[in-house]
Amino acid sequence: GQRGDVPRALSTFDKLRETQSRVVDGMAYNMIIDACCSNKRIDDALRLAEEMEASGVKKNHVTFNTLMKGYCQLGDLESAKRTMAEMEAAGFVADATSFSCVL
């Protein structure tokens, strides 16, 4: 992920979902979403967040903070703020990590 080989990470993640879906939990999704965000691939991160929810795994505080970080790395503060509002609407309280990129 952080070395920039996101296509390989995505391929590996897809294979894992196909063959061992029971081990693909929120932590696994958050790791691949973070790899995408760290490599400025917010569209992939958003797709994965949607797939995460569609598979029955709810976004958590880490998911929202990671997406906000991804937007901030791209300089898209408006989308980061919208994500924070979505996080709060989902019942999570913004913390220092949440505020670090949108202030």
Side-chain angles (χ1 to χ4, degrees), residues 14-64:
D14 287 341
K15 287 177 188 171
L16 184 64
R17 282 191 307 184
E18 291 170 12
T19 60
Q20 299 180 37
S21 61
R22 70 186 186 294
V23 302
V24 179
D25 59 5
M27 184 183 297
Y29 271 103
N30 286 334
M31 288 171 45
I32 191 71
I33 289 169
D34 184 57
C36 292
C37 288
S38 294
N39 288 279
K40 299 184 178 186
R41 295 181 61 143
I42 193 72
D43 291 338
D44 287 323
L46 293 171
R47 176 183 56 79
L48 287 161
E50 289 175 14
E51 289 175 12
M52 178 180 181
E53 296 233 305
S55 72
V57 179
K58 298 237 183 254
K59 292 180 197 168
N60 60 30
H61 205 264
V62 173
T63 313
F64 287 110

Short mmCIF file of all heavy atoms in Angstrom, two decimals, residues 14-64:
data_model
loop_
_atom_site.label_atom_id
_atom_site.label_comp_id
_atom_site.label_asym_id
_atom_site.label_seq_id
_atom_site.Cartn_x
_atom_site.Cartn_y
_atom_site.Cartn_z
N ASP A 14 -9.28 -8.29 -3.22
CA ASP A 14 -10.41 -8.90 -3.94
C ASP A 14 -10.35 -10.42 -3.85
O ASP A 14 -11.39 -11.08 -3.66
CB ASP A 14 -10.43 -8.45 -5.40
CG ASP A 14 -10.87 -7.01 -5.57
OD1 ASP A 14 -11.50 -6.47 -4.63
OD2 ASP A 14 -10.58 -6.42 -6.62
N LYS A 15 -9.17 -10.99 -4.00
CA LYS A 15 -9.03 -12.44 -3.88
C LYS A 15 -9.39 -12.92 -2.48
O LYS A 15 -10.04 -13.95 -2.31
CB LYS A 15 -7.60 -12.87 -4.23
CG LYS A 15 -7.29 -12.79 -5.70
CD LYS A 15 -5.85 -13.15 -5.99
CE LYS A 15 -5.53 -12.85 -7.45
NZ LYS A 15 -4.10 -12.97 -7.73
N LEU A 16 -8.98 -12.16 -1.48
CA LEU A 16 -9.30 -12.50 -0.11
C LEU A 16 -10.82 -12.48 0.11
O LEU A 16 -11.38 -13.39 0.73
CB LEU A 16 -8.62 -11.51 0.84
CG LEU A 16 -8.77 -11.77 2.33
CD1 LEU A 16 -8.12 -13.09 2.73
CD2 LEU A 16 -8.17 -10.62 3.13
N ARG A 17 -11.48 -11.47 -0.44
CA ARG A 17 -12.94 -11.39 -0.30
C ARG A 17 -13.63 -12.57 -0.98
O ARG A 17 -14.62 -13.07 -0.49
CB ARG A 17 -13.47 -10.08 -0.88
CG ARG A 17 -13.25 -8.92 0.03
CD ARG A 17 -13.99 -7.71 -0.41
NE ARG A 17 -13.68 -7.40 -1.80
CZ ARG A 17 -14.12 -6.34 -2.45
NH1 ARG A 17 -14.92 -5.51 -1.86
NH2 ARG A 17 -13.78 -6.11 -3.69
N GLU A 18 -13.10 -12.98 -2.11
CA GLU A 18 -13.70 -14.09 -2.86
C GLU A 18 -13.48 -15.43 -2.18
O GLU A 18 -14.36 -16.29 -2.20
CB GLU A 18 -13.11 -14.14 -4.28
CG GLU A 18 -13.53 -12.99 -5.16
CD GLU A 18 -12.74 -12.96 -6.46
OE1 GLU A 18 -12.04 -13.95 -6.79
OE2 GLU A 18 -12.80 -11.93 -7.15
N THR A 19 -12.32 -15.63 -1.60
CA THR A 19 -11.97 -16.96 -1.08
C THR A 19 -12.16 -17.11 0.42
O THR A 19 -12.37 -18.23 0.90
CB THR A 19 -10.51 -17.31 -1.43
OG1 THR A 19 -9.64 -16.34 -0.83
CG2 THR A 19 -10.30 -17.34 -2.94
N GLN A 20 -12.05 -16.00 1.15
CA GLN A 20 -12.14 -16.08 2.61
C GLN A 20 -12.92 -14.89 3.15
O GLN A 20 -12.42 -14.16 4.02
CB GLN A 20 -10.74 -16.13 3.22
CG GLN A 20 -9.93 -17.33 2.78
CD GLN A 20 -8.56 -17.33 3.42
OE1 GLN A 20 -8.40 -16.95 4.58
NE2 GLN A 20 -7.57 -17.75 2.66
N SER A 21 -14.12 -14.70 2.67
CA SER A 21 -14.89 -13.51 3.00
C SER A 21 -15.10 -13.34 4.51
O SER A 21 -15.24 -12.23 4.99
CB SER A 21 -16.24 -13.53 2.28
OG SER A 21 -16.99 -14.66 2.68
N ARG A 22 -15.10 -14.44 5.25
CA ARG A 22 -15.35 -14.32 6.70
C ARG A 22 -14.23 -13.58 7.43
O ARG A 22 -14.44 -13.06 8.52
CB ARG A 22 -15.56 -15.69 7.33
CG ARG A 22 -14.33 -16.55 7.38
CD ARG A 22 -14.62 -17.96 7.88
NE ARG A 22 -13.42 -18.75 8.05
CZ ARG A 22 -12.60 -19.14 7.09
NH1 ARG A 22 -12.85 -18.82 5.84
NH2 ARG A 22 -11.53 -19.87 7.36
N VAL A 23 -13.04 -13.50 6.86
CA VAL A 23 -11.94 -12.79 7.52
C VAL A 23 -11.86 -11.33 7.11
O VAL A 23 -11.04 -10.58 7.65
CB VAL A 23 -10.57 -13.47 7.28
CG1 VAL A 23 -10.58 -14.90 7.79
CG2 VAL A 23 -10.15 -13.39 5.84
N VAL A 24 -12.69 -10.93 6.17
CA VAL A 24 -12.68 -9.54 5.71
C VAL A 24 -13.62 -8.74 6.61
O VAL A 24 -14.83 -8.73 6.41
CB VAL A 24 -13.07 -9.43 4.22
CG1 VAL A 24 -13.08 -7.97 3.79
CG2 VAL A 24 -12.11 -10.23 3.37
N ASP A 25 -13.04 -8.09 7.60
CA ASP A 25 -13.81 -7.32 8.56
C ASP A 25 -13.50 -5.83 8.41
O ASP A 25 -12.84 -5.41 7.45
CB ASP A 25 -13.51 -7.81 9.98
CG ASP A 25 -12.02 -7.68 10.34
OD1 ASP A 25 -11.23 -7.13 9.53
OD2 ASP A 25 -11.65 -8.14 11.43
N GLY A 26 -13.98 -5.05 9.36
CA GLY A 26 -13.75 -3.60 9.30
C GLY A 26 -12.27 -3.25 9.29
O GLY A 26 -11.86 -2.32 8.58
N MET A 27 -11.47 -3.99 10.03
CA MET A 27 -10.04 -3.70 10.06
C MET A 27 -9.41 -3.93 8.69
O MET A 27 -8.60 -3.12 8.23
CB MET A 27 -9.33 -4.56 11.11
CG MET A 27 -7.85 -4.24 11.24
SD MET A 27 -6.96 -5.28 12.42
CE MET A 27 -7.79 -4.87 13.93
N ALA A 28 -9.78 -5.01 8.04
CA ALA A 28 -9.24 -5.29 6.70
C ALA A 28 -9.65 -4.21 5.72
O ALA A 28 -8.82 -3.72 4.92
CB ALA A 28 -9.71 -6.67 6.23
N TYR A 29 -10.93 -3.83 5.76
CA TYR A 29 -11.38 -2.74 4.87
C TYR A 29 -10.63 -1.45 5.17
O TYR A 29 -10.18 -0.76 4.26
CB TYR A 29 -12.88 -2.51 5.00
CG TYR A 29 -13.71 -3.35 4.07
CD1 TYR A 29 -14.39 -4.46 4.52
CD2 TYR A 29 -13.83 -3.02 2.72
CE1 TYR A 29 -15.16 -5.23 3.67
CE2 TYR A 29 -14.60 -3.78 1.85
CZ TYR A 29 -15.27 -4.88 2.33
OH TYR A 29 -16.02 -5.64 1.47
N ASN A 30 -10.50 -1.11 6.45
CA ASN A 30 -9.81 0.14 6.80
C ASN A 30 -8.37 0.14 6.33
O ASN A 30 -7.85 1.18 5.91
CB ASN A 30 -9.91 0.39 8.31
CG ASN A 30 -11.29 0.83 8.72
OD1 ASN A 30 -12.04 1.40 7.93
ND2 ASN A 30 -11.64 0.56 9.96
N MET A 31 -7.72 -1.00 6.37
CA MET A 31 -6.33 -1.07 5.90
C MET A 31 -6.22 -0.79 4.41
O MET A 31 -5.35 -0.03 3.97
CB MET A 31 -5.74 -2.44 6.24
CG MET A 31 -5.47 -2.61 7.73
SD MET A 31 -5.01 -4.26 8.27
CE MET A 31 -3.82 -4.78 7.07
N ILE A 32 -7.10 -1.39 3.61
CA ILE A 32 -7.02 -1.17 2.17
C ILE A 32 -7.50 0.24 1.80
O ILE A 32 -6.96 0.87 0.88
CB ILE A 32 -7.77 -2.28 1.38
CG1 ILE A 32 -7.46 -2.22 -0.12
CG2 ILE A 32 -9.26 -2.23 1.61
CD1 ILE A 32 -6.07 -2.63 -0.48
N ILE A 33 -8.48 0.76 2.54
CA ILE A 33 -8.92 2.14 2.31
C ILE A 33 -7.77 3.10 2.62
O ILE A 33 -7.52 4.05 1.88
CB ILE A 33 -10.18 2.45 3.15
CG1 ILE A 33 -11.39 1.69 2.57
CG2 ILE A 33 -10.45 3.95 3.21
CD1 ILE A 33 -12.62 1.71 3.45
N ASP A 34 -7.04 2.83 3.69
CA ASP A 34 -5.89 3.68 4.04
C ASP A 34 -4.80 3.60 2.97
O ASP A 34 -4.20 4.61 2.62
CB ASP A 34 -5.33 3.27 5.40
CG ASP A 34 -4.20 4.20 5.83
OD1 ASP A 34 -4.43 5.43 5.90
OD2 ASP A 34 -3.09 3.71 6.07
N ALA A 35 -4.57 2.40 2.44
CA ALA A 35 -3.56 2.27 1.37
C ALA A 35 -3.96 3.12 0.17
O ALA A 35 -3.11 3.80 -0.43
CB ALA A 35 -3.41 0.80 0.97
N CYS A 36 -5.24 3.11 -0.16
CA CYS A 36 -5.71 3.93 -1.29
C CYS A 36 -5.54 5.41 -0.98
O CYS A 36 -5.02 6.18 -1.81
CB CYS A 36 -7.17 3.62 -1.60
SG CYS A 36 -7.44 1.97 -2.27
N CYS A 37 -5.96 5.83 0.22
CA CYS A 37 -5.85 7.25 0.58
C CYS A 37 -4.40 7.70 0.65
O CYS A 37 -4.07 8.81 0.20
CB CYS A 37 -6.55 7.50 1.92
SG CYS A 37 -8.34 7.42 1.81
N SER A 38 -3.52 6.85 1.16
CA SER A 38 -2.10 7.21 1.27
C SER A 38 -1.46 7.39 -0.10
O SER A 38 -0.42 8.05 -0.22
CB SER A 38 -1.35 6.13 2.04
OG SER A 38 -1.78 6.10 3.38
N ASN A 39 -2.08 6.81 -1.12
CA ASN A 39 -1.56 6.93 -2.48
C ASN A 39 -2.44 7.79 -3.37
O ASN A 39 -2.42 7.68 -4.60
CB ASN A 39 -1.38 5.53 -3.08
CG ASN A 39 -0.21 4.81 -2.45
OD1 ASN A 39 0.92 5.03 -2.83
ND2 ASN A 39 -0.48 3.95 -1.46
N LYS A 40 -3.23 8.64 -2.70
CA LYS A 40 -4.08 9.64 -3.38
C LYS A 40 -5.06 9.00 -4.37
O LYS A 40 -5.32 9.55 -5.44
CB LYS A 40 -3.22 10.71 -4.04
CG LYS A 40 -2.38 11.46 -3.02
CD LYS A 40 -1.60 12.59 -3.63
CE LYS A 40 -0.84 13.29 -2.51
NZ LYS A 40 -0.18 14.47 -2.97
N ARG A 41 -5.60 7.86 -3.99
CA ARG A 41 -6.60 7.17 -4.82
C ARG A 41 -7.93 7.17 -4.09
O ARG A 41 -8.47 6.14 -3.73
CB ARG A 41 -6.11 5.76 -5.13
CG ARG A 41 -4.85 5.80 -6.00
CD ARG A 41 -4.36 4.45 -6.36
NE ARG A 41 -5.36 3.71 -7.12
CZ ARG A 41 -5.09 2.89 -8.10
NH1 ARG A 41 -3.84 2.71 -8.47
NH2 ARG A 41 -6.03 2.21 -8.71
N ILE A 42 -8.46 8.39 -3.88
CA ILE A 42 -9.68 8.55 -3.10
C ILE A 42 -10.87 7.85 -3.76
O ILE A 42 -11.75 7.34 -3.07
CB ILE A 42 -9.97 10.06 -2.83
CG1 ILE A 42 -11.06 10.21 -1.75
CG2 ILE A 42 -10.36 10.78 -4.10
CD1 ILE A 42 -10.63 9.88 -0.37
N ASP A 43 -10.92 7.80 -5.09
CA ASP A 43 -12.04 7.13 -5.75
C ASP A 43 -12.08 5.64 -5.39
O ASP A 43 -13.16 5.09 -5.14
CB ASP A 43 -11.97 7.31 -7.27
CG ASP A 43 -12.25 8.75 -7.69
OD1 ASP A 43 -12.88 9.50 -6.91
OD2 ASP A 43 -11.84 9.12 -8.80
N ASP A 44 -10.92 5.01 -5.35
CA ASP A 44 -10.87 3.61 -4.94
C ASP A 44 -11.28 3.47 -3.47
O ASP A 44 -12.00 2.55 -3.10
CB ASP A 44 -9.46 3.02 -5.14
CG ASP A 44 -9.13 2.77 -6.59
OD1 ASP A 44 -10.03 2.37 -7.36
OD2 ASP A 44 -7.96 2.97 -6.96
N ALA A 45 -10.82 4.40 -2.64
CA ALA A 45 -11.16 4.36 -1.22
C ALA A 45 -12.66 4.49 -1.01
O ALA A 45 -13.26 3.75 -0.22
CB ALA A 45 -10.42 5.46 -0.47
N LEU A 46 -13.28 5.39 -1.74
CA LEU A 46 -14.73 5.59 -1.63
C LEU A 46 -15.49 4.36 -2.12
O LEU A 46 -16.49 3.96 -1.52
CB LEU A 46 -15.16 6.83 -2.40
CG LEU A 46 -14.64 8.15 -1.82
CD1 LEU A 46 -14.93 9.29 -2.78
CD2 LEU A 46 -15.25 8.40 -0.45
N ARG A 47 -15.03 3.77 -3.21
CA ARG A 47 -15.67 2.55 -3.72
C ARG A 47 -15.59 1.45 -2.68
O ARG A 47 -16.59 0.75 -2.42
CB ARG A 47 -14.99 2.12 -5.03
CG ARG A 47 -15.53 0.81 -5.59
CD ARG A 47 -14.79 0.39 -6.84
NE ARG A 47 -13.35 0.27 -6.68
CZ ARG A 47 -12.73 -0.76 -6.11
NH1 ARG A 47 -13.43 -1.78 -5.64
NH2 ARG A 47 -11.41 -0.80 -6.01
N LEU A 48 -14.44 1.31 -2.06
CA LEU A 48 -14.28 0.28 -1.03
C LEU A 48 -15.16 0.56 0.18
O LEU A 48 -15.72 -0.37 0.77
CB LEU A 48 -12.81 0.17 -0.62
CG LEU A 48 -11.92 -0.51 -1.66
CD1 LEU A 48 -10.47 -0.16 -1.42
CD2 LEU A 48 -12.14 -2.01 -1.66
N ALA A 49 -15.29 1.82 0.57
CA ALA A 49 -16.15 2.16 1.69
C ALA A 49 -17.61 1.80 1.38
O ALA A 49 -18.33 1.31 2.25
CB ALA A 49 -16.01 3.64 2.04
N GLU A 50 -18.02 2.02 0.14
CA GLU A 50 -19.38 1.64 -0.28
C GLU A 50 -19.53 0.12 -0.27
O GLU A 50 -20.54 -0.42 0.21
CB GLU A 50 -19.69 2.19 -1.67
CG GLU A 50 -19.90 3.69 -1.69
CD GLU A 50 -20.09 4.23 -3.10
OE1 GLU A 50 -20.33 3.43 -4.04
OE2 GLU A 50 -20.01 5.45 -3.26
N GLU A 51 -18.53 -0.59 -0.79
CA GLU A 51 -18.57 -2.05 -0.79
C GLU A 51 -18.57 -2.59 0.63
O GLU A 51 -19.23 -3.60 0.92
CB GLU A 51 -17.38 -2.62 -1.57
CG GLU A 51 -17.47 -2.39 -3.06
CD GLU A 51 -16.23 -2.86 -3.81
OE1 GLU A 51 -15.38 -3.57 -3.22
OE2 GLU A 51 -16.09 -2.49 -4.99
N MET A 52 -17.84 -1.92 1.50
CA MET A 52 -17.77 -2.31 2.90
C MET A 52 -19.18 -2.33 3.50
O MET A 52 -19.61 -3.33 4.09
CB MET A 52 -16.88 -1.30 3.64
CG MET A 52 -16.73 -1.49 5.10
SD MET A 52 -15.63 -0.15 5.72
CE MET A 52 -15.55 -0.58 7.43
N GLU A 53 -19.90 -1.24 3.32
CA GLU A 53 -21.25 -1.16 3.87
C GLU A 53 -22.20 -2.13 3.18
O GLU A 53 -23.03 -2.75 3.84
CB GLU A 53 -21.77 0.28 3.75
CG GLU A 53 -20.97 1.26 4.58
CD GLU A 53 -21.82 2.09 5.49
OE1 GLU A 53 -22.76 2.73 5.00
OE2 GLU A 53 -21.54 2.07 6.68
N ALA A 54 -22.05 -2.28 1.87
CA ALA A 54 -22.92 -3.20 1.13
C ALA A 54 -22.72 -4.65 1.60
O ALA A 54 -23.66 -5.45 1.53
CB ALA A 54 -22.65 -3.09 -0.37
N SER A 55 -21.53 -4.96 2.09
CA SER A 55 -21.26 -6.32 2.56
C SER A 55 -21.69 -6.52 4.01
O SER A 55 -21.49 -7.60 4.57
CB SER A 55 -19.78 -6.66 2.39
OG SER A 55 -19.00 -5.96 3.34
N GLY A 56 -22.24 -5.47 4.62
CA GLY A 56 -22.72 -5.58 5.98
C GLY A 56 -21.73 -5.14 7.05
O GLY A 56 -22.00 -5.27 8.24
N VAL A 57 -20.59 -4.61 6.62
CA VAL A 57 -19.59 -4.11 7.57
C VAL A 57 -19.77 -2.60 7.67
O VAL A 57 -19.64 -1.90 6.68
CB VAL A 57 -18.15 -4.46 7.12
CG1 VAL A 57 -17.14 -3.92 8.11
CG2 VAL A 57 -18.00 -5.96 6.93
N LYS A 58 -20.09 -2.13 8.85
CA LYS A 58 -20.35 -0.70 9.04
C LYS A 58 -19.06 0.11 9.11
O LYS A 58 -18.06 -0.35 9.64
CB LYS A 58 -21.13 -0.49 10.33
CG LYS A 58 -22.50 -1.16 10.32
CD LYS A 58 -23.55 -0.14 10.58
CE LYS A 58 -24.91 -0.80 10.63
NZ LYS A 58 -25.70 -0.55 9.49
N LYS A 59 -19.12 1.30 8.55
CA LYS A 59 -18.00 2.23 8.70
C LYS A 59 -17.84 2.53 10.18
O LYS A 59 -18.82 2.62 10.91
CB LYS A 59 -18.27 3.54 7.96
CG LYS A 59 -18.30 3.43 6.46
CD LYS A 59 -18.59 4.81 5.88
CE LYS A 59 -19.05 4.72 4.46
NZ LYS A 59 -19.59 6.00 3.97
N ASN A 60 -16.61 2.73 10.60
CA ASN A 60 -16.37 3.11 11.99
C ASN A 60 -15.54 4.40 12.02
O ASN A 60 -15.28 5.02 10.99
CB ASN A 60 -15.70 1.97 12.77
CG ASN A 60 -14.36 1.57 12.19
OD1 ASN A 60 -13.63 2.37 11.61
ND2 ASN A 60 -14.01 0.31 12.37
N HIS A 61 -15.16 4.80 13.21
CA HIS A 61 -14.41 6.03 13.40
C HIS A 61 -13.15 6.05 12.54
O HIS A 61 -12.81 7.06 11.92
CB HIS A 61 -14.05 6.14 14.90
CG HIS A 61 -13.83 7.52 15.36
ND1 HIS A 61 -12.59 8.08 15.43
CD2 HIS A 61 -14.70 8.47 15.77
CE1 HIS A 61 -12.69 9.31 15.87
NE2 HIS A 61 -13.96 9.58 16.10
N VAL A 62 -12.46 4.92 12.47
CA VAL A 62 -11.22 4.83 11.68
C VAL A 62 -11.52 5.04 10.20
O VAL A 62 -10.79 5.75 9.50
CB VAL A 62 -10.52 3.47 11.92
CG1 VAL A 62 -9.34 3.29 10.98
CG2 VAL A 62 -10.09 3.34 13.37
N THR A 63 -12.60 4.45 9.72
CA THR A 63 -12.98 4.59 8.31
C THR A 63 -13.18 6.06 7.95
O THR A 63 -12.62 6.56 6.97
CB THR A 63 -14.27 3.81 8.00
OG1 THR A 63 -14.19 2.51 8.55
CG2 THR A 63 -14.51 3.74 6.50
N PHE A 64 -13.99 6.74 8.76
CA PHE A 64 -14.27 8.14 8.48
C PHE A 64 -13.00 9.00 8.56
O PHE A 64 -12.76 9.83 7.68
CB PHE A 64 -15.33 8.68 9.45
CG PHE A 64 -16.71 8.18 9.19
CD1 PHE A 64 -17.32 7.29 10.06
CD2 PHE A 64 -17.43 8.57 8.06
CE1 PHE A 64 -18.60 6.82 9.83
CE2 PHE A 64 -18.70 8.11 7.81
CZ PHE A 64 -19.29 7.22 8.70
#
